[in-house]
Amino acid sequence: MDSLSQIPGIGPKILEKLNRLNINHPKDLLYHFPSRYIDFSHSVKINSVLENENITITGKVIDFKNIFTRNGKNIQKAIVSDDTGKIDLIWFNQPYLSKNIKAGDNLSFAGTVSLYLNKKTIIAPEYGQYNTGKIISVYPETSGLTSKWFRKIIQIQINNLLKDIKETLPSNLIKKFKLLDLKISLLQIHCPTNPQFLEQARTRLATEEILSLQIRSYLLKKEWQKNIPKTKLKVTKIIDKKIKDLIKSLPYKLTDSQDKVLAEIFTDLTNQKQVMNRLLQGDVGSGKTIIALLACYLTHLNNSLSVLIAPTEILANQHYQNFQEILKNKDIPIFLLTGSKKIDLKKIPKNGILISTHAVIYQKLNLKNKISLLIVDEQHKFGVKQRSFLNSSLKLPHCLTMTATPIPRTISLTLLGNLDISIIDTLPQNRLQIKTFLVPDHKKTSCYKWIETEIKKTGCQAFIVCPFIDISESMASVKSAIQEFEHLSKEVFPNLKLGLIHGKIKSVDREKIIKQFQDKQLDILITTPIIEVGVDIPNSSIIIIQSADRFGLAALHQLRGRVGRGHLQSYCYLFTESNNQKAIDRLNFLEKNHNGLKIAEFDLKSRGPGEAFSTIQHGFPSLKIASFSDTKLISLSQEILKEIIDNYPDYNFSQITSENITAESIISN
Ligand code: ADP
Ligand code: MG
C-alpha cells in the first residue's frame, strides 16, 4: 500500500486530520501506538457478572430507548438478555446509538459493571466486534479522530498494513536477545492476544526506538572521527613545566576530579589522529573554568588559537577578567569580543585566546579556519543553529562543551553517544551546603525581615530573582522585575541599597551595576534569571527565587549555585504562591537535595524529558513508546548496537534510522 487514501474509509477530510497527527503514510498508522489498553477478554454469562469487573457479555437486545430528562439531557437505555438472565445498559447523551443498536439485535457489549439505581448495570459499554471480547487498544484522541475510529480501521487493515513491513534486525540477533519479530510486535501492540505477548511487543518496539537514537549518535561519531586535527598540539617538556607551574600558582589545589578530567582533555588534545568532541559536565561551582583555561593555555603554548564562547556578556566579561588575572605577567594575547565590545579579528595573533559571546558567531568569521580549540560554556543556552557557524569549515577544531546541567546516564547513552564525556563529580574543598527553604506566600514578609537583619549583621549580599515569563526575557518579565524593584526598594528595604539588572538594560550599564554589586556598594541585586549562568560573587550568600514553581528543577539548582561560593553559610529561599501539590513536592525535593545529577533524574521522572531537558538539547526528541528513565531497556539496546557493530559489519543502519547523517549534523550535535 503506498498511500493512505487507498484505505477504504479514508477520504480527504480524514486524510487531513491524519496528516495533522503526522500520519502521512500507511506505515505511520502502524506506528501510531495505543496509549493504553482495556482488557475485555473475559466473556461471561449475564447471571455471573460481578461489580467492578471488566467483562464482555453477548446476548439479544430486548429493549432500546432514548430517554429525555427534564434538564435537557438524554439517556440511552438498553436491556440485554442471554440464557442466564438480563442486564441494563446505560449511555449518556449518545442519541445516535439508536442507529446501531436496535431491539432484536444479537450483539456483544463490554464494560465495567457497576450499581446504578441499585441494579447491576453496565455504564457506557462498548459494543460490536472491534471493541469487545478482547484486550482493546485505546488511542490518543486528537484532531477529531476518536480512539474507536483508529481501533476499527487498524483491526480491519492490520494484515494489509503489515505486508509492507520488513524485519529490521538480523534473525540470529533476534534469537540471541529473545526479541519478538517486528511484524508480530506491531500486530500485538495494536491487537494484543494476551498481556505477556503485549509486553514483549512493547519491549521490541521500544528497543527499536532507543536503538534508532543510539545508531544516530554512533553514525555521528563515526563521521566525526574522520576528521584529522589540523594543528598537532603537543605537551613537550617545556610546555609540561609551564602548565604545572601555572597550576602551582593557583590559590587552591585542583580537586581529584579536576585532575582526572584535565588528563582526559589533554589526552584528546594531543591525539594526533582524532579531533576532540568532548562534553565536560560538572555541577555549578565545581570549577570548570580553570579546566577551560588550562586547555586554552596548552593551545597557546603550541602557538595556536583558542576560542571560548560564553552565553552572556556578563559571563564573557567574567571569564575575560578571570583569565587575565590567572594568566597575568605571561604576555598572552587575550581578547574579549561581545556585542558591545567589538574588535578587529585580524588583530588576533595565531597564539591568542579569544573570549566571546555568541555575537562572534554572527560576524563573518575568517577566523574559523584558524581556530584549534573551541570551548562552548553552558552549551545548553545555545541553539543548535548558533553552533553550526562552523559548518562550512572543512577541518573541525577540537571541541569542548561545558555544562552544569547534569545528564542522567540513560540520556547520555541514548542521545550523546557521539560525545566523549568527562564529569567533575566533586565540589572543591568542604563547601558549606546551601540551606534551602520553601517559603509560602504568607511567610514572605518575615523572610524579608530576616534577610535585612542578616545583611546588616554580617555584611553579606543577596540576589532576588524575579520570575521570568519566557526564556528570551520578554518585555513582560522585564516589567515585572522593574515593578518588583520599585516595590522592594520603597516598601520593603528602604534602608538598604538595591540595584536592578535585566536584559533590556544596556550592557555597559549592566556591567556597571554588577561591578557596584561586586564592590559591595549594593546590598541586594534584583534580577531576571539572566544571572543564572555563571556569575561569581562570593560575598553574596542569600538568594530569593520568586515564583520558583515556574522554573524547572535544573534551572533552580543552577540559580541556587549563584550563592555558596565563598566562606559564608548560604541560604536559598524558594518563594511560591502555588498550592499545586506536585509543584510543592518538586520544590521540597530541592530543599533536601543538593546533588545535581539526583535532581536531574528526579526531574526526568516527575516531568518527563521534554521539559526537564529541553534546556540541554534543543529539539529533544519525544519518544513514542520508550522512556528515557528505563535503564534496563536502554542498556539492552546498547548491547544490541554493540552486537551489530561487532558481528554484522554489513548491517544497513538506514533500516532503523531514516535520517541522513551529514557534515552539517555533525557539528550541531
Ligand atoms: P563552574 O564549574 O560553575 O563554572 P567555576 O569554574 O566558576 O565553576 O568555579 C567556581 C569557583 O570555585 C571559582 O571561584 C573558582 O575559582 C573556584 N575553584 C575552582 N576550582 C577550585 C578548587 N580546586 N578549589 C577551590 N576553589 C576552586
Ligand atoms: Mg561556569
Side-chain angles (χ1 to χ4, degrees), residues 546-577:
Q546 297 188 339
S547 301
D549 49 282
R550 290 200 205 157
F551 296 80
L553 288 190
L556 288 172
H557 180 61
Q558 286 241 2
L559 280 171
R560 174 167 67 178
R562 294 311 113 221
V563 299
R565 302 192 150 219
H567 308 290
L568 299 167
Q569 170 62 54
S570 293
Y571 302 90
C572 170
Y573 296 98
L574 306 168
F575 281 17
T576 178
E577 284 134 49

Side-chain angles (χ1 to χ4, degrees), residues 250-256 258 282-291 315 318-319 322 326 377-378 402-404 424 427-429 431 534-536 538 561-562 565:
L250 296 172
Y252 48 77
K253 200 175 162 304
L254 292 184
T255 61
D256 291 351
Q258 283 172 315
D283 226 338
V284 185
S286 62
K288 296 184 289 295
T289 314
I290 187 65
I291 303 296
L315 198 57
Q318 191 178 288
H319 282 327
N322 209 340
I326 296 174
D377 193 13
E378 307 291 354
M402 307 201 289
T403 180
I424 304 182
L427 292 182
Q429 49 187 313
R431 286 220 180 118
V535 173
D536 191 20
R562 294 311 113 221
R565 302 192 150 219

Side-chain angles (χ1 to χ4, degrees), residues 261-328:
V261 302
L262 193 63
E264 287 165 354
I265 291 166
F266 275 22
T267 305
D268 280 5
L269 288 175
T270 52
N271 182 337
Q272 312 288 321
K273 297 205 188 81
Q274 255 171 45
V275 180
M276 172 167 80
N277 193 17
R278 190 170 278 278
L279 179 73
L280 173 59
Q281 193 259 305
D283 226 338
V284 185
S286 62
K288 296 184 289 295
T289 314
I290 187 65
I291 303 296
L293 180 144
L294 289 165
C296 292
Y297 188 45
L298 171 68
T299 311
H300 159 80
L301 293 173
N302 277 275
N303 204 20
S304 302
L305 175 66
S306 46
V307 175
L308 168 61
I309 300 181
T312 62
E313 286 204 33
I314 296 178
L315 198 57
N317 264 312
Q318 191 178 288
H319 282 327
Y320 178 64
Q321 281 162 19
N322 209 340
F323 273 44
Q324 279 192 320
E325 170 66 25
I326 296 174
L327 297 171
K328 66 178 175 243

Side-chain angles (χ1 to χ4, degrees), residues 261-508:
V261 302
L262 193 63
E264 287 165 354
I265 291 166
F266 275 22
T267 305
D268 280 5
L269 288 175
T270 52
N271 182 337
Q272 312 288 321
K273 297 205 188 81
Q274 255 171 45
V275 180
M276 172 167 80
N277 193 17
R278 190 170 278 278
L279 179 73
L280 173 59
Q281 193 259 305
D283 226 338
V284 185
S286 62
K288 296 184 289 295
T289 314
I290 187 65
I291 303 296
L293 180 144
L294 289 165
C296 292
Y297 188 45
L298 171 68
T299 311
H300 159 80
L301 293 173
N302 277 275
N303 204 20
S304 302
L305 175 66
S306 46
V307 175
L308 168 61
I309 300 181
T312 62
E313 286 204 33
I314 296 178
L315 198 57
N317 264 312
Q318 191 178 288
H319 282 327
Y320 178 64
Q321 281 162 19
N322 209 340
F323 273 44
Q324 279 192 320
E325 170 66 25
I326 296 174
L327 297 171
K328 66 178 175 243
N329 310 327
K330 287 196 170 40
D331 198 22
I332 298 176
I334 307 175
F335 293 85
L336 177 68
L337 168 64
T338 65
S340 54
K341 194 174 171 308
K342 304 271 186 321
I343 47 159
D344 182 0
L345 292 172
K346 287 197 202 89
K347 289 203 179 119
I348 298 176
K350 211 176 145 194
N351 64 350
I353 298 176
L354 172 64
I355 294 166
S356 168
T357 52
H358 60 253
V360 74
I361 292 161
Y362 302 117
Q363 308 219 344
K364 285 281 165 240
L365 262 196
N366 291 327
L367 212 55
K368 66 189 167 202
N369 289 317
K370 298 183 197 150
I371 302 173
S372 295
L373 168 64
L374 175 73
I375 303 180
V376 183
D377 193 13
E378 307 291 354
Q379 200 264 327
H380 65 272
K381 294 282 149 185
F382 292 93
V384 165
K385 281 205 191 75
Q386 290 164 331
R387 243 196 109 184
S388 63
F389 77 107
L390 285 159
N391 276 352
S392 51
S393 114
L394 288 174
K395 287 199 170 173
L396 297 165
H398 291 293
C399 286
L400 178 68
T401 37
M402 307 201 289
T403 180
T405 310
I407 302 156
R409 223 177 113 67
T410 51
I411 297 223
S412 54
L413 286 178
T414 317
L415 295 173
L416 306 175
N418 56 322
L419 298 175
D420 296 307
I421 298 183
S422 288
I423 300 175
I424 304 182
D425 50 14
T426 49
L427 292 182
Q429 49 187 313
N430 38 355
R431 286 220 180 118
L432 289 170
Q433 202 157 76
I434 302 162
K435 291 192 175 156
T436 305
F437 303 97
L438 186 57
V439 182
D441 218 27
H442 66 276
K443 290 202 179 147
K444 237 161 92 167
T445 318
S446 51
C447 182
Y448 284 142
K449 282 224 176 76
W450 180 87
I451 287 170
E452 178 159 6
T453 322
E454 190 72 9
I455 288 175
K456 285 183 175 153
K457 198 171 74 192
T458 68
C460 72
Q461 292 163 288
F463 291 112
I464 298 182
V465 183
C466 294
F468 69 148
I469 316 299
D470 64 35
I471 304 269
S472 65
E473 183 160 292
S474 64
M475 268 330 280
S477 48
V478 170
K479 216 167 112 194
S480 89
I482 295 171
Q483 275 171 2
E484 195 58 24
F485 173 71
E486 310 251 294
H487 166 70
L488 291 171
S489 35
K490 286 197 190 113
E491 282 149 54
V492 184
F493 301 113
N495 305 318
L496 295 176
K497 282 179 274 43
L498 273 62
L500 168 69
I501 54 167
H502 55 69
K504 298 283 184 292
I505 293 181
K506 272 216 201 123
S507 63
V508 252

Side-chain angles (χ1 to χ4, degrees), residues 13 23 25 27 139 142 197 239 269 335 381 436 465 502 594:
K13 272 204 187 124
I23 300 175
H25 188 269
K27 190 178 162 192
Y139 293 87
T142 27
F197 230 176
I239 292 178
L269 288 175
F335 293 85
K381 294 282 149 185
T436 305
V465 183
H502 55 69
H594 293 82

